[in-house]
Amino acid sequence: TTYPNEVIPPPHHFHSSTKGPLRRERNQIWFVILFGRAGSARHPLSPMMSTTLLCIITMLLQASITVATRIQPLAFCHIRQLGRFHRASSLHLNRILFDTSEIDKSDTSVSGRQESGVDEAPMATVTLPKDDYRTIHIAKILGLHNGDSLRAGTVINPSDEEDEFAGLLTDDATITWLPEGKIKKAEPTKNGDPPGSLCISIPQPPKTYLSTQSSDEGMDDTPKVSLLLALPRPLQLSRILPMVSQLGVDQLILTNAMKVPKDYFGSHIFRKPEVLRGLLVEGLAQSGDVRLPNVHVTKRLKVFVEDELDELFPLDEVVRVIAHPQRRDIDGREFGPAPLRMTDIEFPKSDKPRRLLVAVGPEGGWTEPYELDMFRDKGFQQITLGTRVLRSDVAVVSLLSLAHEVCSKSE
């Protein structure tokens, strides 16, 4: 019951890796210090001091337990409030988009339902598998439960504009979880994973309408801006495509240029059309639009400019501009004809809405003077964003934003 009068072992003996008799000796030392014995015979602790120390430790433990029990319910309540706020506000961030081939079409057409006024059953339903990226997004990011509503729509492809289900828009689509496997609850799991597949019901009009109805009423929502883009690096192109569809373009022409390497056209983006389409749909889902741009890929710029340009973009209907950096000499003086700014371009006097074609070159710029002269001969007005040479993605976003602003002035 007594500890031998020996000196406390050196500090390195207290390392957690000690085993056997040395660990037992360490435990005995701390027991003696707490309950009335010192580690050395020269400095004993009295029973009163050890009792006082034990009381202080007990009081501190009781106080910490009391504070923890009072704070914990408040913290969990605050977390639940934040969860409800996030679930309510995140519905307006993006729109879940479907292809018309994914819709479980019923026997009644859209026009027939509008005439009959039937609103008991949904207009159409879409069932997404458990591993679909939209199902995961709805479960993890939006955190929706059965009966919750979300914004949804169907994509308008240039090839299926005649499909009656193309271009549906609704802010009141409802979801129903279909549990699979061992999961029985029809709600996202604790870690946010989907419990199974997801059924999305598109309601009847007037909660659902066609995006083409606005054009029938005299409000044409087709983008007025088109883009002719010299092909950038494939990795950069994968970043540009969602931005282009977010801002909105009517026609997208991906073309070659003298400073574009030929192997760029061998990218997987062109070998797998579904990859290119998926990047464009990603931008549409962010902006809430449903109209995909019409994409043209041409490997011969001169042939396109001479043979196809006038057919796609008539000069009397579409204003053509080409972007190129402003050049200066060593002394900082500008040379050559002074390029215009986007706000200075000349539009023909007409009652028709303004339409604009913007040509953006590669990161090395259009070849001077050959490519610039070729575009000028076809009625392109040269514009600039300044003397800075910008990357393709920065130039595209800046020019498209300015182009939409200029075209909207006529409205």
Side-chain angles (χ1 to χ4, degrees), residues 72-227:
Q72 189 175 10
L74 296 176
F76 279 115
C77 179
H78 183 61
I79 290 173
R80 285 195 294 268
Q81 291 177 356
L82 288 179
R84 289 196 296 269
F85 175 77
H86 174 73
R87 185 161 58 248
S89 62
S90 60
L91 294 178
H92 300 281
L93 292 180
N94 28 18
R95 186 182 296 275
I96 305 299
L97 298 181
F98 316 107
D99 193 76
T100 54
S101 61
E102 296 178 301
I103 295 180
D104 302 328
K105 302 177 182 178
S106 59
D107 297 334
T108 307
S109 63
V110 177
S111 58
R113 288 183 180 275
Q114 292 176 344
E115 295 175 358
S116 61
V118 178
D119 56 357
E120 289 81 3
M123 174 186 293
T125 59
V126 180
T127 303
L128 301 177
K130 181 179 180 179
D131 57 350
D132 190 277
Y133 72 96
R134 293 162 292 186
T135 306
I136 298 174
H137 177 81
I138 293 173
K140 279 187 172 293
I141 306 301
L142 302 182
L144 301 184
H145 295 72
N146 282 351
D148 290 345
S149 61
L150 79 162
R151 306 173 71 199
T154 55
V155 176
I156 301 178
N157 293 307
S159 59
D160 61 1
E161 291 188 353
E162 301 299 329
D163 194 320
E164 60 181 355
F165 285 93
L168 292 179
L169 289 171
T170 181
D171 292 347
D172 298 295
T174 56
I175 70 166
T176 303
W177 290 106
L178 306 175
E180 298 176 357
K182 299 181 179 179
I183 301 178
K184 302 302 180 183
K185 291 185 177 180
E187 60 183 21
T189 59
K190 294 182 179 180
N191 58 359
D193 292 334
S197 56
L198 178 65
C199 179
I200 300 178
S201 301
I202 300 176
Q204 297 289 337
K207 293 184 177 180
T208 300
Y209 61 94
L210 291 173
S211 62
T212 55
Q213 289 178 354
S214 58
S215 59
D216 296 337
E217 299 171 358
M219 299 175 57
D220 188 7
D221 59 350
T222 304
K224 308 301 187 298
V225 180
S226 297
L227 176 65

Side-chain angles (χ1 to χ4, degrees), residues 223 225 227 229 232 235-250 252 276 278-287 289 293 391-401 404:
V225 180
L227 176 65
L229 178 63
L235 181 62
Q236 196 169 26
L237 179 62
S238 64
R239 296 196 299 263
I240 293 176
L241 290 176
M243 300 178 188
V244 169
S245 58
Q246 281 183 55
L247 293 170
V249 296
D250 183 25
L252 173 61
L276 190 148
L279 293 172
L280 294 174
V281 171
E282 177 185 342
L284 292 181
Q286 177 64 37
S287 63
D289 194 10
R391 289 185 179 271
S392 298
D393 51 355
V394 178
V396 166
V397 172
S398 303
L399 290 168
L400 288 181
S401 301
H404 281 288

Side-chain angles (χ1 to χ4, degrees), residues 309 315 317-324 337-349 355-360 366 371-385 399 406:
L309 181 65
L315 193 57
E317 299 179 5
V318 182
V319 175
R320 307 168 181 175
V321 297
I322 179 173
H324 194 65
L340 304 173
R341 295 286 181 166
M342 184 70 77
T343 54
D344 299 330
I345 59 178
E346 299 178 359
F347 284 89
K349 295 181 180 180
R355 294 183 59 195
L356 190 62
L357 171 64
V358 183
V360 182
W366 298 108
E371 290 179 336
L372 290 180
D373 291 342
M374 179 178 62
F375 281 109
R376 290 195 192 101
D377 294 340
K378 282 295 185 178
F380 280 80
Q381 305 176 44
Q382 183 176 340
I383 62 172
T384 184
L385 292 174
L399 290 168
V406 169

Side-chain angles (χ1 to χ4, degrees), residues 45-78:
L45 279 177
S46 63
M48 183 178 294
M49 293 178 64
S50 62
T51 304
T52 304
L53 181 61
L54 189 60
C55 293
I56 293 174
I57 294 175
T58 304
M59 293 171 62
L60 291 176
L61 289 175
Q62 291 178 350
S64 61
I65 293 173
T66 304
V67 172
T69 54
R70 291 180 179 180
I71 293 179
Q72 189 175 10
L74 296 176
F76 279 115
C77 179
H78 183 61

